[in-house]
Amino acid sequence: QRGNGLVLLLPHGYEGQGPEHSSARIERFMELCADNNIQVTNCTTPANFFHVLRRQLHREFRKPLIVLTPKSLLRAPKCVSPVGDFTNGHFQEVIDDNYAEAKKVKRVLFCSGKLYYELLEKQQADQRKDVAIVRIEQLYPTPDQQMLKIKAKYAKASEFIWVQEEPENMGAWPYMCRTF
C-alpha cells in the first residue's frame, strides 16, 4: 500500500545496430500492466518528455513510470518543441495529426515513438493529406477515450492501423490488439 515514484528511462529502438542493440522490450512491460499499476510512455517530443516527468513529480499518488526513449531522437532535426510547449503545455497522452485533412482521411495510422518521424517524412514527401498519423504517447494506461475521439473525428476513414518497427509478436501490438 505504498506509492513508488520510480522512473525507468530505457533506451529502445532498432537503429541499425542489430537486434541485441534494442534494450527495452516493450511487450514485456505491457504484459506487467494491470489495474493501473504502472505507466508506460514512449514520448516523441522534448516537451512531452518534460511534462511526463513533471507529472510524475506533481501527482498526489505514486506509481512507477517506464519511459521508452529512442536514442536517435536525440539527434533528429524534426524532434523539437517550441518554448511555449514547455511553459504552457501539459503531457499529451495522444497527439493527433495536424497535417492531414480530416474530411479527406481514408487511413489512420496509430504509432508510438521514433517511427512517427519516418512516417511523417513519407507522408509529407508524398503530400498525403488522406492519411493521418496519430501518436500514442502513453501506452498504459491506454488512453481509450482519446483514441475513440480520434476514431470519431476520422469517421470517413476505412482503415485504422497500428504501425510499429518491431515484429508482430513484439512491441506494443500484442497488448494494443487486445485492448482496443
Side-chain angles (χ1 to χ4, degrees):
Q1 299 296 328
R2 292 188 181 191
N4 184 340
L6 176 71
V7 176
L8 294 176
L9 300 175
L10 300 172
H12 174 72
Y14 293 102
E15 297 171 332
Q17 302 296 321
E20 72 283 352
H21 194 67
S22 179
S23 302
R25 299 287 302 265
I26 297 175
E27 67 277 4
R28 292 182 181 170
F29 289 101
M30 299 306 287
E31 289 172 3
L32 295 173
C33 299
D35 297 327
N36 293 325
N37 60 339
I38 61 175
Q39 306 164 88
V40 181
T41 63
N42 194 354
C43 300
T44 58
T45 67
N48 228 20
F49 177 63
F50 168 77
H51 287 296
V52 77
L53 293 176
R54 187 172 183 270
R55 180 182 78 170
Q56 181 75 354
L57 291 173
H58 287 288
R59 279 190 164 166
E60 294 181 9
F61 58 90
R62 296 280 183 252
K63 64 174 76 174
L65 170 64
I66 289 77
V67 181
L68 305 162
T69 55
K71 292 176 274 185
S72 65
L73 290 186
L74 294 172
R75 303 177 299 278
K78 289 192 175 191
C79 184
V80 295
S81 297
V83 174
D85 287 356
F86 288 95
T87 57
N88 299 325
H90 64 282
F91 179 66
Q92 298 175 330
E93 297 170 346
V94 175
I95 301 176
D96 194 5
D97 192 325
N98 58 5
Y99 180 77
E101 296 177 15
K103 293 179 182 177
K104 295 182 180 179
V105 170
K106 298 175 188 171
R107 179 180 296 153
V108 178
L109 306 177
F110 290 100
C111 67
S112 184
K114 75 178 185 81
L115 184 62
Y116 165 75
Y117 291 101
E118 296 170 21
L119 294 171
L120 178 68
E121 184 177 325
K122 181 68 173 161
Q123 177 197 40
Q124 292 182 349
D126 294 347
Q127 297 180 353
R128 296 290 305 263
K129 295 197 180 264
D130 63 332
V131 176
I133 305 169
V134 179
R135 294 174 271 178
I136 308 300
E137 299 280 295
Q138 179 171 290
L139 298 170
Y140 188 83
T142 308
D144 296 328
Q145 295 303 314
Q146 294 175 28
M147 292 172 72
L148 289 172
K149 287 180 184 176
I150 294 290
K151 286 182 90 172
K153 176 182 176 183
Y154 300 113
K156 293 186 179 182
S158 58
E159 294 180 296
F160 293 88
I161 302 168
W162 176 262
V163 184
Q164 66 181 23
E165 60 182 327
E166 299 89 0
E168 185 176 358
N169 65 337
M170 297 170 68
W173 171 245
Y175 175 81
M176 296 302 273
C177 75
R178 292 190 308 260
T179 60
F180 189 67

